[in-house]
Amino acid sequence: MLRSRMATLGVAALVLTACGGGNAAAPQKKTELTLYNDKGAWTKFFDEMGALSKPSIGLGMKPTGYTDSAQYQAFIKASFRTNVKPDLFTWQTGGMLEEIVKQKQVADTTAVWQEAIKAGDLSQDLAPYYTIGGKQYCVPMNVAYWGMFYNKKIFDKYGLQPPQTWDDLIKTADTLKQNGVKAFYHTSVLFSFVWFEQLMAGTDPDLYDRLSTGKAKYTDPGVVQVMERWKQLIDAGYFINPGDKTDPGDVLKTGKAAMVSFGTWFNTSMTQRDLKPGTDYDFFVIPNVNASLPKTSMIFESGPLCSLAKAADPDASMKYLKWWTTAEAQEKWATSRGDVSANPKVTIKDEALGTVTKDAGSGKYRLVNRYFEATPPPILTAALDGFSKFVTEPGAYKEVLETIQKAADEYWSTHQ
């Protein structure tokens, strides 16, 4: 409730500021751009990018980071109606990007993409995530591959190795349980979808894709079986309390849980805690539940960096987006955070993440779009609420699926 009120006040202040500003400011040539984002914890890294871009292309950048996703999205959407506009802003691919593109709020970046692909700075494989109506919008702020971060000291203590099969993973969880260690992290807040997407993609990735396009139902037997498997894992006592508010980085560091499933961006949380890869923690690709699948399914996401169609200085904003895709910018962006890069030219120093990036680019894995981006927003809202309920009331899984399907029916009745 407090957050909602703060968000409302923030948006109201933005509108009042705009209304009180009189006539729109005259067009100007900017030397410093504003970059609004929902990654408040990354302000230090954005600042470093601004310090690098100034001497490189003559444009500085000042970030404004939010930590509450709902408040951030409300701010950006309010800015569409005012004269207080970000020069650059982060967003989500999938339905959320499509929504603001259809409102004609986002600058066309097709020329930037064409040039970057030709120069080898972006992969053609990424383009579909940014393509709407045959044109590209925004550029990749980051890419991330999802897998399992694990506390290496706990694994070493109990003689455990990264699992090669789903059965290996369950045996690992059993060993940890026998020694009084919770195997897995999960949460009832925002990231409640993580285990659903992982179990779906590792069991039947085609069904996962059909769900995202309305060609399958959440009440289909295959989806019900996934929820029942998820329930079995919870009932087995492998997970920590989903209501635990401890930061997942601290959960892994302290050993409250031995394994945390997140995207490669979670590596930043480890390095910020002065943990060393290969010594304090490590990363493995989660094996498929269904061993007969031809490729291991890997959850993939890419977060856009965008400019408004009516930016204060469109040329400057587009120049910055173009620079962001270059090897110079991406080397700094990936290295400072200890993450992977959208630019294939960038060498990833972290051995485990470098291997994942190389293997993903070679076609070893079946890349599956993250549930958060793959699912249309109205369905996603119902699903996040449903999965949050499920992790605290696993017996309610059928009711949860029926509720999500009701939202899906309403959405797809007008969007097929």
Side-chain angles (χ1 to χ4, degrees):
M1 179 63 75
L2 179 60
R3 285 181 173 177
S4 298
R5 288 177 177 173
M6 289 178 64
T8 302
L9 288 173
V11 172
L14 176 64
V15 174
L16 287 172
T17 301
C19 292
N23 295 330
Q28 56 181 307
K29 292 299 180 183
K30 291 199 168 192
T31 57
E32 181 172 276
L33 304 181
T34 58
L35 192 160
Y36 284 73
N37 64 86
D38 58 352
K39 295 162 176 53
W42 290 6
T43 296
K44 170 180 179 292
F45 308 120
F46 283 115
D47 280 336
E48 291 176 3
M49 294 300 287
L52 178 63
S53 64
K54 183 67 175 178
S56 182
I57 58 172
L59 285 170
M61 178 271 287
K62 185 174 179 57
T64 297
Y66 284 64
T67 56
D68 183 290
S69 182
Q71 183 182 356
Y72 173 72
Q73 291 172 21
F75 174 85
I76 293 298
K77 290 183 177 179
S79 76
F80 297 160
R81 306 189 298 273
T82 73
N83 290 328
V84 182
K85 300 180 183 300
D87 297 308
L88 305 166
F89 65 100
T90 63
W91 203 242
Q92 307 280 342
T93 56
M96 285 185 59
L97 178 58
E98 184 174 1
E99 178 186 13
I100 61 174
V101 167
K102 287 184 175 178
Q103 294 170 357
K104 302 185 185 305
Q105 299 292 349
V106 189
D108 180 343
T109 57
T110 302
V112 173
W113 273 87
Q114 289 176 343
E115 188 172 337
I117 291 173
K118 185 177 180 180
D121 287 331
L122 287 177
S123 165
Q124 182 68 52
D125 294 339
L126 267 180
Y129 298 97
Y130 291 83
T131 302
I132 298 171
K135 297 180 179 179
Q136 282 78 53
Y137 296 88
C138 312
V139 300
M141 180 198 70
N142 69 325
V143 297
Y145 304 103
W146 282 58
M148 193 73 84
F149 288 86
Y150 65 97
N151 185 313
K152 194 169 187 305
K153 291 182 177 177
I154 291 179
F155 268 50
D156 290 344
K157 181 178 181 179
Y158 298 114
L160 299 171
Q161 296 293 324
Q164 301 300 309
T165 67
W166 183 259
D167 287 344
D168 288 346
L169 180 63
I170 299 305
K171 289 178 183 176
T172 298
D174 279 333
T175 299
L176 292 167
K177 179 182 175 182
Q178 290 165 9
N179 287 281
V181 179
K182 291 294 185 183
F184 306 123
Y185 168 83
H186 71 166
T187 179
S188 60
V189 180
L190 188 58
F191 285 98
S192 59
F193 64 90
V194 170
W195 277 86
F196 175 77
E197 70 175 0
Q198 185 61 50
L199 290 169
M200 278 297 309
T203 302
D204 190 342
D206 291 333
L207 178 57
Y208 178 96
D209 286 344
R210 292 200 300 275
L211 270 182
S212 68
T213 54
K215 294 179 172 58
K217 293 182 179 295
Y218 283 83
T219 50
D220 285 351
V223 184
V224 174
Q225 290 171 9
V226 162
M227 292 296 283
E228 290 174 342
R229 184 180 294 276
W230 190 5
K231 180 176 181 298
Q232 290 172 1
L233 300 178
I234 296 174
D235 291 344
Y238 296 148
F239 291 93
I240 68 168
N241 178 354
D244 193 319
K245 303 302 182 186
T246 306
D247 187 286
D250 292 325
V251 167
L252 195 65
K253 179 179 179 178
T254 61
K256 183 174 279 188
M259 292 177 271
V260 174
S261 177
F262 271 131
T264 46
W265 42 260
F266 186 68
N267 203 53
T268 307
S269 296
M270 300 291 93
T271 56
Q272 286 178 325
R273 287 169 172 77
D274 297 323
L275 299 178
K276 296 181 179 178
T279 301
D280 299 314
Y281 71 97
D282 219 324
F283 177 90
F284 64 80
V285 177
I286 301 174
N288 282 339
V289 177
N290 181 357
S292 67
L293 292 173
K295 290 185 178 182
T296 300
S297 298
M298 177 181 284
I299 305 298
F300 166 81
E301 65 168 294
S302 181
L305 180 61
C306 310
S307 173
L308 292 172
K310 296 181 180 178
D313 186 345
D315 291 342
S317 293
M318 202 56 62
K319 183 178 183 180
Y320 206 93
L321 292 181
K322 179 180 176 181
W323 174 77
W324 189 270
T325 67
T326 64
E328 177 197 34
Q330 287 298 301
E331 182 78 37
K332 177 67 175 178
W333 182 237
T335 302
S336 63
R337 294 176 304 115
D339 201 352
V340 302
S341 173
N343 189 316
K345 297 177 181 175
V346 175
T347 300
I348 308 303
K349 294 182 179 178
D350 184 296
E351 184 177 352
L353 300 190
T355 299
V356 167
T357 303
K358 182 179 178 181
D359 289 345
S362 70
K364 180 177 180 179
Y365 302 113
R366 172 167 174 167
L367 298 181
V368 178
N369 198 15
R370 188 172 71 154
Y371 186 80
F372 202 86
E373 285 78 24
T375 306
I379 305 173
L380 177 66
T381 299
L384 295 180
D385 289 344
F387 297 145
S388 294
K389 178 177 181 178
F390 168 77
V391 294
T392 56
E393 301 177 43
Y397 67 94
K398 288 186 177 179
E399 175 191 339
V400 166
L401 291 177
E402 289 168 356
T403 301
I404 301 172
Q405 185 54 44
K406 182 179 179 181
D409 287 339
E410 291 177 0
Y411 178 82
W412 293 118
S413 67
T414 57
H415 290 81
Q416 284 287 8

